[in-house]
Amino acid sequence: MSTIIGIDPHKASHTAVAIDNTECVLDELRVRACSSQTDRLRSWAAPFEDRVWAIESARGLGYLLAQQLVAAGETVVDVPAVLSTRTRLLGSGKAQKNDPNDARSVAIAALRTDGLARVSIDEHAQVLKLLAKRHRDLGRLRGKAACRIHALLLELEPGGIARRMSLTRANDLLDRVVVDTEMAAHRVGVAREFVADLAHYEAQMKTSKARLRHAVAATSTSLTDIRGVGVVTAAMIIGHVGDVSRFKSAAHFASYNGTAPIEASSGERRRHRLNPRGNRQLNYAIHVVAITQLRYPCEGREYYDRKRAEGKSAKEAIRSLKRQISNVVYRALIADARRLEQ
C-alpha cells in the first residue's frame, strides 16, 4: 500500500500530511524552512516505505524542497495550486483554510489525479527559463529608464524626443539645452544619470542576449527555424514547457498555454470564448511569434488574411493564428525530443 505525502510549502515553514489509498490521514508534521528541512522530513517519513511526495507548486514556492527531495532519491510529483484548492473546496468537512488541510488536499489531489508531472533534477530547460526571465526583467528596467528620460526631457525642450529613445538622441538633446537656471542644471544632471542607467541596462541586455544565444544553441532546437521565434522566445518556450512528453497531444499543449478557446455554449447556442487561463508566459511567447509573423509575407500572414476575409475580427484572427502556431511549436518540440532520444 503506497503512501502519499502532501506538502503545503511556505517561506518560513512546510506542512506535510501523509495519507493512505483510502485518503485516511496517517500522520502530519510541520517543519521550519532551514538547512535540515529535508533530513527532518525524510526521518519522519521513514516508516512509510512505499511513498510518493506531492508538493504544491514544485516549480514555484516549493522548488527548493522538491529539488532537495529528488536529489535524496525520493519520488516527487508537482501538484498545481488550482488542483489542490479545488480538492479542498469540494471536500466534505475539510474546507477550512489552514496548512494541514491544504497539505491533505495536495495529497488527495495527487492520489486522485493521473499524469501529474514528476519532478526531476534541474535540466537545461530550467536554465533557459531563468535566463529568459532575467532578460525580460532587464527589458522592463530599460523601458522604465527610457520613460523617465522622456518625461524629464519634455521639461527641458518642447516635444522632447519624438522618436524612439536612444543614447545618442538623448545626449544630443541634453548638449543643446541652455542651462541658465539652477532648476535647469539639476534637470540636466538627473537626466544624464537616467541616460547612464539606460546605457547600463542596454549593455546588460546585450550580454544577456549573447548568453541566451549560446544556451539555446546548446539545445539544438528547431524552434528558431519557425518564423518569428528568436533566441529569447525560444528560451521562454523551452523553459516553460520542460518535458514536452507530458503533453499527450497538440490540443493538450494548446490548453496548457491558453491558446485553445474555452467552450461557453448554452442550450442550442454553441460558442467559444477567449481562454484567460493557462501558462501566461508561454501564451505571451506565442503571441510575440504571431505578431512578428503578421509583419512579413509568410504562411502565418496568409492564414490571418484568410480569417479576416471570412469575417473574423482582427483579435479573433490573431487568436486563431496563435492556435495554429501552438501546433507548429508542439510538433517542433516533439521532433526535437525524438531526435535527442536517438
Side-chain angles (χ1 to χ4, degrees), residues 261-267 269-274:
I262 297 176
E263 185 174 2
S265 304
S266 179
R269 185 180 182 184
R270 294 288 181 267
R271 60 184 294 270
H272 294 79
R273 64 178 178 84
L274 175 68

Side-chain angles (χ1 to χ4, degrees), residues 149-168:
I149 297 173
H150 272 300
L152 196 54
L153 293 183
L154 285 173
E155 301 175 0
L156 294 170
E157 181 171 305
I161 297 179
R163 292 177 292 177
R164 187 178 186 272
M165 175 64 64
S166 71
L167 297 174
T168 302

Side-chain angles (χ1 to χ4, degrees), residues 7-8 19 43 81 87 146 209 291 320:
I7 295 184
D8 180 34
I19 65 171
S43 297
T87 302
K209 187 74 171 287
I291 297 303
S320 297

